[in-house]
């Protein structure tokens, strides 16, 4: 076995009324109105080697196999105000 470390970085431009809060479950989430948004890893797959290949999570068995290999995950959110 070997270990794969995957680092994802996403930057979103969000309206002023969206907030990053701590949900009662203890998870840091994005609050939009009366809904809470969490970010998770969603693997996508394709069989195509084409430059414009279509990627999807349709192969549920393969995606589940990849997700079963995840032994830990951490999400961190920071808001930077742009004036």
């Amino acid at each position: 076995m070997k270990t794969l470390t995957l680092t994802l970085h996403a930057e979103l431009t969000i309206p002023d009324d969206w907030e990053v809060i701590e949900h009662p479950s203890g998870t840091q989430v994005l609050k939009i109105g009366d809904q809470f948004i969490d970010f998770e890893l969603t693997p996508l797959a394709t069989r195509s080697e084409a430059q414009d290949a279509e990627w999807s999570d349709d192969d549920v068995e393969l995606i589940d196999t990849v997700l079963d290999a995840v032994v830990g995950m951490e999400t961190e959110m920071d808001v930077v105000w742009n004036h």
Side-chain angles (χ1 to χ4, degrees):
M1 280 297 202
K2 44 190 166 180
T3 301
L4 168 67
T5 301
L6 177 65
T7 303
L8 299 173
H9 176 87
E11 187 172 310
L12 291 74
T13 301
I14 61 173
D16 290 344
D17 61 335
W18 292 13
E19 303 176 79
V20 173
I21 66 161
E22 184 163 327
H23 187 268
S25 66
T27 304
Q28 190 180 36
V29 298
L30 184 60
K31 185 170 192 274
I32 303 173
D34 63 351
Q35 295 194 36
F36 305 97
I37 308 297
D38 191 11
F39 294 89
E40 294 290 330
L41 175 69
T42 303
L44 301 175
T46 187
R47 292 187 186 277
S48 173
E49 293 184 21
Q51 184 176 2
D52 61 347
E54 187 172 319
W55 295 83
S56 75
D57 59 357
D58 291 343
D59 189 337
V60 176
E61 187 176 328
L62 177 60
I63 299 305
D64 285 348
T65 299
V66 172
L67 290 175
D68 286 346
V70 176
V71 294
M73 189 166 59
E74 183 178 312
T75 303
E76 182 180 319
M77 293 187 218
D78 293 308
V79 174
V80 176
W81 288 89
N82 300 319
H83 297 283

